Amino acid sequence: DAGVTQSPTHLIKTRGQQVTLRCSPKSGHDTVSWYQQALGQGPQFIFQYYEEEERQRGNFPDRFSGHQFPNYSSELNVNALLLGDSALYLCASSLSRSETQYFGPGTRLLVL
Amino acid sequence: AQSVTQPDIHITVSEGASLELRCNYSYGATPYLFWYVQSPGQGLQLLLKYFSGDTLVQGIKGFEAEFKRSQSSFNLRKPSVHWSDAAEYFCAVGRGDYKLSFGAGTTVTVRA
């Protein structure tokens, strides 16, 4: 049973660029959440997708956007990258009415 | 707004000794409570969760946690730690809106 997978594992970008991160949920899960984990901090909720729509959103600017596909996989897009966007981006999957989230290994983004 | 506090930034424990990690939350109702573990450079692994019922919950890897409503706490314990338990531990809280709030984490070092 495959768990949550994310790609790429690492990414280096420069300020002002755009980035797309990808996530495939755990088998049987239909909901995907994204979190940002800055160095030395706990994860911060970005948003959650269910039925291809954004269901919940945290305190992140509109530069952060997402998408969910019919197969439940998801993308996180960040535009106009800032140095402060450097972090580990975690994807978590769950069942639609469950509070329990299972996390992937993350994508480490470095913005130079 | 809910918040999660992990008072101990770093704990060092000898192999074979007991471990207790503290977690306090602020939220009016009983939240959904979780403990996750993160090894260096990895994603988060769910150790255990509490939704309702018996206030002492058992998890994986020999961990347990106790919910105390009167103290707004959900402390994690392990009777005898192994060197492989060295990692960062995060307490997380959900309030039924499908997004988790995390504490800042506690780093556990295990000495031989």
Side-chain angles (χ1 to χ4, degrees):
Chain A
D1 179 21
V4 180
T5 60
Q6 293 186 243
S7 64
T9 56
H10 295 82
L11 206 50
I12 300 175
K13 292 287 188 179
T14 56
R15 281 177 299 174
Q17 285 189 311
Q18 178 264 345
V19 68
T20 297
L21 311 182
R22 295 175 177 81
C23 172
S24 291
K26 185 177 168 68
S27 178
H29 286 182
D30 56 6
T31 301
V32 173
S33 302
W34 287 92
Y35 291 79
Q36 179 195 67
Q37 185 179 19
L39 200 61
Q41 298 182 23
Q44 298 289 319
F45 177 80
I46 302 174
F47 44 53
Q48 183 181 84
Y49 276 83
Y50 169 63
E51 292 189 337
E52 302 180 47
E53 292 193 355
E54 186 181 287
R55 178 161 73 171
Q56 280 282 356
R57 189 177 182 91
N59 295 324
F60 279 80
D62 292 344
R63 298 188 296 110
F64 290 77
S65 63
H67 189 77
Q68 185 179 34
F69 299 93
N71 68 352
Y72 308 123
S73 67
S74 177
E75 290 181 348
L76 164 66
N77 301 292
V78 187
N79 294 322
L81 284 167
L82 304 174
L83 296 180
D85 295 331
S86 296
L88 180 68
Y89 288 84
L90 295 164
C91 170
S93 76
S94 58
L95 295 171
S96 62
R97 298 197 178 279
S98 173
E99 293 291 324
T100 305
Q101 298 184 16
Y102 297 87
F103 285 80
T107 293
R108 187 162 296 281
L109 171 66
L110 177 62
V111 182
L112 301 177
Chain B
Q2 62 192 46
S3 68
V4 185
T5 303
Q6 294 182 246
D8 304 304
I9 297 173
H10 190 193
I11 287 180
T12 298
V13 60
S14 297
E15 193 169 15
S18 63
L19 174 68
E20 181 168 12
L21 304 182
R22 296 182 290 164
C23 174
N24 294 95
Y25 63 90
S26 62
Y27 179 53
T30 299
Y32 301 94
L33 297 162
F34 305 84
W35 275 99
Y36 287 88
V37 62
Q38 185 176 39
S39 297
Q42 302 297 312
L44 303 175
Q45 182 181 23
L46 179 65
L47 287 175
L48 46 78
K49 60 186 178 183
Y50 173 78
F51 287 0
S52 64
D54 191 349
T55 57
L56 184 64
V57 293
Q58 303 297 320
I60 63 172
K61 303 185 178 187
F63 285 93
E64 65 179 25
E66 185 172 13
F67 169 61
K68 292 186 177 180
R69 184 191 307 275
S70 61
Q71 298 176 19
S72 297
S73 69
F74 188 56
N75 294 349
L76 181 72
R77 299 193 293 255
K78 185 169 184 177
S80 176
V81 299
H82 186 262
W83 64 266
S84 60
D85 293 323
E88 189 156 20
Y89 292 79
F90 292 94
C91 180
V93 168
R95 60 175 183 179
D97 57 359
Y98 309 115
K99 57 184 180 183
L100 299 181
S101 296
F102 285 83
T106 298
T107 300
V108 173
T109 298
V110 180
R111 59 183 174 218

